[in-house]
Amino acid sequence: MPVKVVIINLDSALLKVDVSEVESKLKDILGVEGDLKNLIAEALLRSSDQSKAKAIDEVLKELEDKTAEEAEIDQEDLEAVCTLKAIGVKLALVTMRSRESTEKALEKIGLKGVFDVVVTRDDEPEKALQIAKACNSLGYRVDEALYVGFSRADAIAGAQAGCLVATPHRVLQALNQMIRVNSLHELLDIFRFTS
């Protein structure tokens, strides 16, 4: 089945940001270890605990504000997104950020208005369901989508959603549902897109 829509994870595939300080704060508040994606997921689960909810919200807002202001994109990745758009591939963006933070980050990196649909945690807090929502919004099935995400959690979410996944991780290799890449521009070198 040909790919008709490319869904890109904003945080793992596009933005280049340092989140070590925020990771440390979340670990202290939550009392757990893990990478930022897992910590945010844990924070969202625990946000109903009123004693921690306010502190978690403040740290997540700080993370989003800081990374939106400092957002950078690799020039070759920017060109890859623009190339996909120019050849007529439908583009979607998914992120665990708020809508407000997402719009700020997209404006900062020069991609505001480029994506045909943007799904944030305000729309859907579950990554696999974000992918499905993006496909549905564009009128495609998930098996017609290529999901680009460079964290292990992204690779797993793409597999759960049922789409082809572009990732540097080998977690899906046995399923033949992945393309191994480390960047968006590398994806253009090895995968043929048709509009």
Side-chain angles (χ1 to χ4, degrees):
M1 172 104 20
V3 168
K4 296 185 178 175
V5 60
V6 174
I7 303 169
I8 301 171
N9 182 284
L10 176 63
D11 298 296
S12 72
L14 283 181
L15 296 185
K16 311 296 182 221
V17 296
D18 177 17
V19 295
S20 56
E21 183 180 328
V22 175
E23 273 186 351
S24 178
K25 287 181 182 181
L26 278 177
K27 285 176 185 179
D28 288 344
I29 292 169
L30 298 170
V32 297
E33 291 295 317
D35 66 6
L36 186 61
K37 296 263 188 235
N38 292 331
L39 289 168
I40 290 174
E42 183 71 22
L44 292 172
L45 287 172
R46 293 192 187 188
S47 63
S48 61
D49 176 353
Q50 294 303 315
S51 65
K52 294 185 180 184
K54 186 172 176 162
I56 291 168
D57 286 345
E58 287 174 9
V59 172
L60 291 178
K61 179 147 180 36
E62 175 188 340
L63 165 70
E64 290 182 352
D65 290 347
K66 180 180 192 270
T67 57
E69 290 169 12
E70 298 173 356
E72 292 181 12
I73 185 172
D74 179 90
Q75 186 62 35
E76 290 179 321
D77 287 343
L78 177 63
E79 291 170 7
V81 172
C82 293
T83 299
L84 288 169
K85 185 73 171 175
I87 64 172
V89 174
K90 292 293 183 186
L91 295 176
L93 185 85
V94 296
T95 180
M96 294 306 289
R97 290 174 175 269
S98 68
R99 172 76 51 187
E100 180 182 356
S101 172
T102 301
E103 294 299 327
K104 284 181 190 174
L106 288 174
E107 186 167 348
K108 178 81 164 74
I109 63 174
L111 289 176
K112 189 167 183 166
V114 171
F115 293 93
D116 298 294
V117 67
V118 175
V119 181
T120 71
R121 77 163 182 260
D122 297 336
D123 305 307
E124 171 55 56
E126 173 69 37
K127 185 69 67 187
L129 295 177
Q130 285 184 341
I131 295 167
K133 186 174 187 75
C135 289
N136 289 338
S137 295
L138 292 169
Y140 295 107
R141 297 184 318 268
V142 291
D143 64 352
E144 296 175 303
L146 170 65
Y147 176 58
V148 183
F150 296 149
S151 75
R152 288 182 68 80
D154 288 328
I156 291 166
Q160 288 172 335
C163 57
L164 183 63
V165 179
T167 183
H169 301 286
R170 295 180 184 263
V171 294
L172 306 176
Q173 199 164 16
L175 301 175
N176 293 325
Q177 288 184 288
M178 73 166 246
I179 299 168
R180 228 166 143 228
V181 295
N182 293 302
S183 66
L184 282 167
H185 65 274
E186 187 180 322
L187 179 65
L188 287 182
D189 293 338
I190 65 167
F191 193 81
R192 179 173 297 279
F193 292 91
T194 57
S195 58

